[in-house]
Short mmCIF file of all heavy atoms in Angstrom, two decimals:
data_model
loop_
_atom_site.label_atom_id
_atom_site.label_comp_id
_atom_site.label_asym_id
_atom_site.label_seq_id
_atom_site.Cartn_x
_atom_site.Cartn_y
_atom_site.Cartn_z
N LEU B 1117 5.01 -2.64 13.09
CA LEU B 1117 4.48 -3.98 12.81
C LEU B 1117 5.40 -4.79 11.86
O LEU B 1117 5.61 -5.94 12.08
CB LEU B 1117 3.04 -3.93 12.23
CG LEU B 1117 2.35 -5.30 12.10
CD1 LEU B 1117 2.23 -6.00 13.44
CD2 LEU B 1117 0.98 -5.14 11.49
N VAL B 1118 5.98 -4.12 10.89
CA VAL B 1118 6.96 -4.80 10.03
C VAL B 1118 8.15 -5.28 10.81
O VAL B 1118 8.63 -6.42 10.61
CB VAL B 1118 7.37 -3.89 8.84
CG1 VAL B 1118 8.61 -4.44 8.15
CG2 VAL B 1118 6.25 -3.70 7.85
N GLN B 1119 8.61 -4.46 11.72
CA GLN B 1119 9.74 -4.86 12.57
C GLN B 1119 9.41 -6.06 13.42
O GLN B 1119 10.21 -6.99 13.57
CB GLN B 1119 10.20 -3.70 13.44
CG GLN B 1119 10.91 -2.59 12.63
CD GLN B 1119 11.22 -1.33 13.42
OE1 GLN B 1119 10.65 -1.11 14.50
NE2 GLN B 1119 12.08 -0.50 12.89
N LEU B 1120 8.19 -6.05 13.99
CA LEU B 1120 7.76 -7.22 14.76
C LEU B 1120 7.66 -8.47 13.87
O LEU B 1120 8.06 -9.56 14.25
CB LEU B 1120 6.40 -6.96 15.41
CG LEU B 1120 6.35 -6.00 16.59
CD1 LEU B 1120 4.93 -5.70 17.02
CD2 LEU B 1120 7.15 -6.58 17.77
N GLY B 1121 7.11 -8.27 12.66
CA GLY B 1121 7.01 -9.37 11.69
C GLY B 1121 8.39 -9.92 11.31
O GLY B 1121 8.57 -11.10 11.17
N ALA B 1122 9.35 -9.03 11.17
CA ALA B 1122 10.71 -9.48 10.80
C ALA B 1122 11.32 -10.29 11.95
O ALA B 1122 11.95 -11.31 11.72
CB ALA B 1122 11.57 -8.27 10.50
N GLU B 1123 11.10 -9.86 13.17
CA GLU B 1123 11.59 -10.57 14.34
C GLU B 1123 10.99 -11.95 14.45
O GLU B 1123 11.63 -12.90 14.84
CB GLU B 1123 11.33 -9.77 15.63
CG GLU B 1123 12.18 -8.50 15.78
CD GLU B 1123 11.71 -7.66 16.96
OE1 GLU B 1123 10.88 -8.11 17.77
OE2 GLU B 1123 12.20 -6.51 17.05
N GLU B 1124 9.69 -12.05 14.11
CA GLU B 1124 9.00 -13.34 14.23
C GLU B 1124 9.07 -14.16 12.93
O GLU B 1124 8.55 -15.26 12.85
CB GLU B 1124 7.52 -13.08 14.59
CG GLU B 1124 7.37 -12.47 15.99
CD GLU B 1124 5.88 -12.32 16.38
OE1 GLU B 1124 5.06 -13.11 15.89
OE2 GLU B 1124 5.59 -11.42 17.18
N GLY B 1125 9.65 -13.58 11.90
CA GLY B 1125 9.69 -14.28 10.60
C GLY B 1125 8.34 -14.39 9.97
O GLY B 1125 8.04 -15.40 9.30
N ALA B 1126 7.49 -13.43 10.19
CA ALA B 1126 6.11 -13.55 9.70
C ALA B 1126 5.61 -12.25 9.00
O ALA B 1126 4.47 -11.85 9.08
CB ALA B 1126 5.18 -13.84 10.88
N VAL B 1127 6.52 -11.61 8.28
CA VAL B 1127 6.20 -10.35 7.62
C VAL B 1127 5.02 -10.57 6.62
O VAL B 1127 4.05 -9.79 6.64
CB VAL B 1127 7.41 -9.77 6.87
CG1 VAL B 1127 7.03 -8.55 6.03
CG2 VAL B 1127 8.48 -9.38 7.87
N ASP B 1128 5.10 -11.58 5.80
CA ASP B 1128 4.05 -11.85 4.82
C ASP B 1128 2.73 -12.17 5.47
O ASP B 1128 1.66 -11.67 5.09
CB ASP B 1128 4.46 -12.94 3.83
CG ASP B 1128 5.62 -12.54 2.93
OD1 ASP B 1128 5.80 -11.32 2.72
OD2 ASP B 1128 6.32 -13.43 2.47
N ARG B 1129 2.78 -13.01 6.49
CA ARG B 1129 1.55 -13.43 7.21
C ARG B 1129 0.86 -12.23 7.86
O ARG B 1129 -0.31 -12.08 7.74
CB ARG B 1129 1.84 -14.51 8.23
CG ARG B 1129 0.57 -15.08 8.83
CD ARG B 1129 0.84 -16.22 9.82
NE ARG B 1129 1.06 -15.61 11.11
CZ ARG B 1129 1.91 -15.96 12.00
NH1 ARG B 1129 2.73 -16.98 11.74
NH2 ARG B 1129 2.00 -15.37 13.18
N PHE B 1130 1.67 -11.38 8.49
CA PHE B 1130 1.09 -10.19 9.13
C PHE B 1130 0.43 -9.28 8.09
O PHE B 1130 -0.56 -8.68 8.35
CB PHE B 1130 2.17 -9.42 9.92
CG PHE B 1130 2.62 -10.09 11.20
CD1 PHE B 1130 2.08 -11.30 11.61
CD2 PHE B 1130 3.57 -9.49 11.99
CE1 PHE B 1130 2.47 -11.94 12.80
CE2 PHE B 1130 3.95 -10.08 13.15
CZ PHE B 1130 3.47 -11.27 13.55
N GLY B 1131 1.08 -9.15 6.97
CA GLY B 1131 0.51 -8.33 5.89
C GLY B 1131 -0.83 -8.86 5.39
O GLY B 1131 -1.78 -8.10 5.18
N VAL B 1132 -0.90 -10.21 5.25
CA VAL B 1132 -2.20 -10.79 4.83
C VAL B 1132 -3.23 -10.60 5.89
O VAL B 1132 -4.39 -10.22 5.57
CB VAL B 1132 -1.98 -12.31 4.56
CG1 VAL B 1132 -3.28 -13.06 4.39
CG2 VAL B 1132 -1.09 -12.53 3.32
N GLU B 1133 -2.87 -10.77 7.14
CA GLU B 1133 -3.88 -10.63 8.23
C GLU B 1133 -4.34 -9.16 8.33
O GLU B 1133 -5.53 -8.94 8.54
CB GLU B 1133 -3.25 -11.11 9.52
CG GLU B 1133 -3.06 -12.62 9.58
CD GLU B 1133 -2.44 -13.08 10.88
OE1 GLU B 1133 -2.10 -12.28 11.75
OE2 GLU B 1133 -2.25 -14.31 11.02
N SER B 1175 -3.26 -13.85 14.10
CA SER B 1175 -2.16 -14.15 15.00
C SER B 1175 -2.27 -13.24 16.24
O SER B 1175 -2.86 -12.16 16.18
CB SER B 1175 -0.81 -13.96 14.32
OG SER B 1175 -0.64 -12.61 14.03
N THR B 1177 0.03 -11.42 17.60
CA THR B 1177 0.68 -10.13 17.42
C THR B 1177 -0.17 -9.15 16.66
O THR B 1177 -0.32 -7.98 17.09
CB THR B 1177 2.03 -10.35 16.62
OG1 THR B 1177 2.85 -11.26 17.35
CG2 THR B 1177 2.77 -9.04 16.45
N VAL B 1178 -0.79 -9.58 15.56
CA VAL B 1178 -1.68 -8.67 14.81
C VAL B 1178 -2.91 -8.34 15.62
O VAL B 1178 -3.36 -7.16 15.62
CB VAL B 1178 -2.03 -9.29 13.44
CG1 VAL B 1178 -3.05 -8.45 12.71
CG2 VAL B 1178 -0.78 -9.49 12.58
N TYR B 1201 2.36 -0.63 5.37
CA TYR B 1201 2.93 -1.93 5.75
C TYR B 1201 3.47 -2.62 4.46
O TYR B 1201 4.57 -3.17 4.46
CB TYR B 1201 1.91 -2.79 6.46
CG TYR B 1201 2.49 -4.09 6.93
CD1 TYR B 1201 3.00 -4.22 8.22
CD2 TYR B 1201 2.54 -5.19 6.14
CE1 TYR B 1201 3.56 -5.39 8.66
CE2 TYR B 1201 3.10 -6.40 6.54
CZ TYR B 1201 3.59 -6.49 7.83
OH TYR B 1201 4.17 -7.64 8.25
N LEU B 1208 11.82 -4.33 2.81
CA LEU B 1208 12.52 -5.34 3.60
C LEU B 1208 12.87 -6.58 2.72
O LEU B 1208 13.94 -7.16 2.84
CB LEU B 1208 11.69 -5.75 4.80
CG LEU B 1208 12.32 -6.69 5.80
CD1 LEU B 1208 13.47 -6.03 6.54
CD2 LEU B 1208 11.29 -7.17 6.79
#
Side-chain angles (χ1 to χ4, degrees):
L1117 187 59
V1118 166
Q1119 289 172 344
L1120 288 172
E1123 290 172 10
E1124 295 183 27
V1127 173
D1128 292 336
R1129 188 176 89 219
F1130 287 0
V1132 168
E1133 291 178 359
S1175 65
T1177 303
V1178 174
Y1201 184 93
L1208 185 68

